[in-house]
Amino acid sequence: MSETNNLIHASSPYLLQHAHNPVDWYEWGPEALEKAKAENKLILVSIGYSACHWCHVMERESFENHEVAEVMNRHFVCIKVDREERPDIDQIYMYAIQLMTGSGGWPLNCICLPDQRPIYGGTYFRKNDWINILENVAGLWANEPDKAIQYAERLTSGIRDSEKIIAVDNLETYTQEHLKEIVEPWKRHFDIGFGGYNRAPKFPLPNNWVFLLRYGFLKDDEAVFTAVCHTLEEMSRGGIYDQIGGGFARYSVDDKWHVPHFEKMLYDNGQLISLYAEAYQCTKFDSFKQTITETIDWVYHEMTSAEGLFYSALDADSEGVEGKFYVWEKAQFDELLGEDAALIGEYYNVTENGNWEEEQTNILRKTLSDDDLIAKYHIDAATLYDKVKSAKEKLLEVRSTRVRPGLDDKCLTAWNAMMIKGLTDAASVLSHHGYYEKASLAANFILKNLKAENGGLFRNYKNGKASITGFLDDYAFLIDALIALYEYDFDEKWLSEARALTAHVLENFTDPASPMFFYTSSESESLIARKHEVMDNVIPAANSVMAQNLQKLGLLFDLETYTEKAAAMLAAVQDKIKTYGSAYSNWAIQLLNEVYGINEIAITGLEADVVKIALSNHYIPNKITLGGTKSNLPLLKGKQSNETKVYICRNKVCQLPVNTVEEALAYVQ
């Protein structure tokens, strides 16, 4: 039995992966931090996550090596952090590394003074380089501590001053021109050939395409709208999408969506289900619907816990090899599919030498159109799809016997909320009540088991335990999901919960010096800086999501303090959006709503559900929907009756009620 370190009691699968390292790792917490101060030792903070390929490489080369461990243990208090459990710590030290080196990533390794202030760091280091760095920095602390303290002071002040967003005195009236300033430079980066942006690697960036879809539709900008549809089509045909199992990998390393970095993240797939649902509602493209249903099937089969929550990630590696679980040798592929091997081989671009030349194996992807194959093999569409379906079943059956990639089975509130929202969006657009049932099961579980006595949220859940105080993104995404659930079933308990969580955010996350919220609660542990999260990335910023929540709840409950706060948040960041639209895409959605207005669609009467289903066939990106037969919402007061009526309201003015969706659509703007 190998020796263990302090991580053996951790809840995070990533930390548990390191529990048998010879490094004397600690979790972030009082024990390690007090030890560093008591012994006047430098702290080594090493941050990663379970599906991170280069984290595993550095572990094999350095953290499992006794020579390296001896140096680390002699000079440092070594702390391992799962960035997904503790994004607050990751945020601070990632910014430190970016200030030092100009770039960042994971694994992230940062050396700090005993008081947690950073002095040196970087990402992946080779073994010998790592030993040299450790000895040099330890020598600096032993021989020239004043110099180390000067470094720390400069860096910490840079971290604290970064991204400060201050309030704007005068709120502008937003126009089409503001949107044009954002979108015109953005268009220059579209990859007309393969979709996405003309660069590699390629990330899906779902929120970017949600904004561009809505903009292209509302502005009737054909170039933007086409770019969105083309991107979604190409992503779902590429190797980044698991052609036989469903679900998207985190990114592709090339510019053709061909070779993925094979890990599958819950947050990507939750957002992508929402994006494809919206795109399907708008276009009715069958391929988008197929992508939604296959991805949800994958979530059910591989990512759902016994409680109905959703796991965090699947690793890129199995048996120590990246992608081994997903790829195919032509000989095995042909033997399995028999007489259909030639057709299905072309359908999935399977070649003799492998379409992934580097590994001489095949990543399944679609490079030919169905029409070309139908013509070449003299079959009809129905026959092709039957053969593909049969082939998928055979391939999946064989694949399921392989050694599976590692599963990160912790459940995070923010990421679960994105999947709840994705399932609810799919339920609405596809009229699939089963998706809603899965979403409401997960939401109810969180509200029952991940709420603290003070009304706040916990971030994590595993083995019956929730231990980490929630961050702003946990609140923002859960509130967003609760509003989506209300818009699906008109049960006002979801809105009551959303409003209570919003009140908690206002009380515990407000920054008196900025319109933005802090990322950490006033009840969270104190770190060397308290940051805002403002720029949208692969996940939208917690502040941009919170601003939209305030806007919607302000309209639903007629709370001007909420809508004014949302407007102040947008105004403070608005000038930055045009400088880099892709990094402010969720803010751009809020701006779009300001320019085009929000249609508040109220449905009352006994047939409200029937009308709501009919309405879901129509794409109205700038809307909120409310309704039912009994309600405490201001917009529905005085509108209750057994007779079914639809009201379209904007800016506190409602049109006369109508009886059908078709009549109502005439009033939608």
Side-chain angles (χ1 to χ4, degrees), residues 38 56 75 140 155 157 174 304 333 376 392 416 452 467 497 538-539 595 605 655:
H56 300 325
H75 295 300
L140 177 73
L155 262 176
S157 132
Y174 302 117
T304 305
F333 187 91
K376 179 173 178 179
K392 276 186 181 182
N416 267 260
S467 55
E497 294 281 4
V538 291
I539 297 174
V595 173
Q655 302 291 340

Side-chain angles (χ1 to χ4, degrees), residues 239-241 249-254 257-263 322 356 363:
I240 190 174
Y241 181 68
R250 199 161 76 90
Y251 63 89
S252 71
V253 299
D254 59 279
W257 307 109
H258 176 191
V259 179
H261 198 24
F262 284 89
E263 71 235 33
E322 188 178 2
W356 184 13
I363 298 165

Side-chain angles (χ1 to χ4, degrees), residues 270-498:
Q271 292 181 84
L272 284 160
I273 290 166
S274 287
L275 169 61
Y276 277 86
E278 198 166 315
Y280 176 72
Q281 188 181 43
C282 182
T283 63
K284 300 294 187 285
F285 290 173
D286 283 339
S287 63
F288 293 170
K289 181 178 180 178
Q290 184 180 343
T291 301
I292 298 164
T293 56
E294 288 175 352
T295 301
I296 292 175
D297 285 347
W298 164 71
V299 172
Y300 285 1
H301 293 141
E302 299 192 43
M303 301 299 284
T304 305
S305 77
E307 301 88 353
L309 291 182
F310 306 105
Y311 299 133
S312 291
L314 279 178
D315 208 329
D317 301 5
S318 49
E319 300 180 81
V321 179
E322 188 178 2
K324 185 171 183 180
F325 182 73
Y326 298 100
V327 297
W328 296 88
E329 305 296 332
K330 188 172 191 304
Q332 186 192 22
F333 187 91
D334 288 357
E335 184 186 349
L336 195 59
L337 298 182
E339 63 180 23
D340 288 332
L343 166 62
I344 303 298
E346 282 199 74
Y347 186 82
Y348 285 129
N349 187 229
V350 174
T351 67
E352 197 66 53
N353 297 322
N355 64 29
W356 184 13
E357 291 85 359
E358 193 180 313
E359 302 294 329
Q360 295 188 317
T361 187
N362 290 283
I363 298 165
L364 303 189
R365 61 172 181 157
K366 297 179 194 170
T367 55
L368 299 174
S369 77
D370 292 355
D371 289 344
D372 287 348
L373 286 168
I374 287 164
K376 179 173 178 179
Y377 286 88
H378 308 293
I379 54 176
D380 58 21
T383 305
L384 174 65
Y385 301 142
D386 282 346
K387 286 180 181 293
V388 169
K389 184 169 181 281
S390 167
K392 276 186 181 182
E393 287 165 1
K394 288 175 185 170
L395 292 164
L396 261 181
E397 192 179 339
V398 168
R399 197 174 83 174
S400 68
T401 65
R402 295 176 177 176
V403 175
R404 302 187 73 77
L407 170 69
D408 186 326
D409 62 352
K410 68 177 179 290
C411 301
L412 299 176
T413 301
W415 297 10
N416 267 260
M418 289 177 225
M419 186 52 70
I420 291 166
K421 172 86 159 48
L423 289 169
T424 308
D425 290 344
S428 177
V429 169
L430 302 181
S431 294
H432 193 304
H433 195 67
Y435 295 161
Y436 157 79
E437 286 172 344
K438 295 277 188 188
S440 63
L441 179 71
N444 279 316
F445 188 90
I446 290 170
L447 293 171
K448 187 174 177 202
N449 298 281
L450 273 79
K451 273 184 87 170
E453 285 180 17
N454 66 355
L457 291 170
F458 287 106
R459 177 167 183 81
N460 63 325
Y461 184 86
K462 185 167 185 262
N463 297 337
K465 281 194 310 195
S467 55
I468 299 166
T469 302
F471 303 109
L472 185 63
D473 57 344
D474 296 305
Y475 290 86
F477 285 106
L478 184 58
I479 292 164
D480 186 33
L482 293 170
I483 295 169
L485 283 164
Y486 165 73
E487 290 192 82
Y488 181 88
D489 67 8
F490 294 153
D491 185 340
E492 287 176 25
K493 78 167 186 187
W494 304 120
L495 291 185
S496 300
E497 294 281 4

Side-chain angles (χ1 to χ4, degrees), residues 616-643:
S616 70
N617 288 318
H618 299 275
Y619 184 51
I620 308 165
N622 53 330
K623 75 171 191 310
I624 53 172
T625 314
L626 58 163
T629 49
K630 289 181 183 169
S631 177
N632 297 312
L633 296 174
L635 195 63
L636 292 174
K637 278 193 180 150
K639 294 185 174 73
Q640 256 74 41
S641 72
N642 288 341
E643 188 187 352

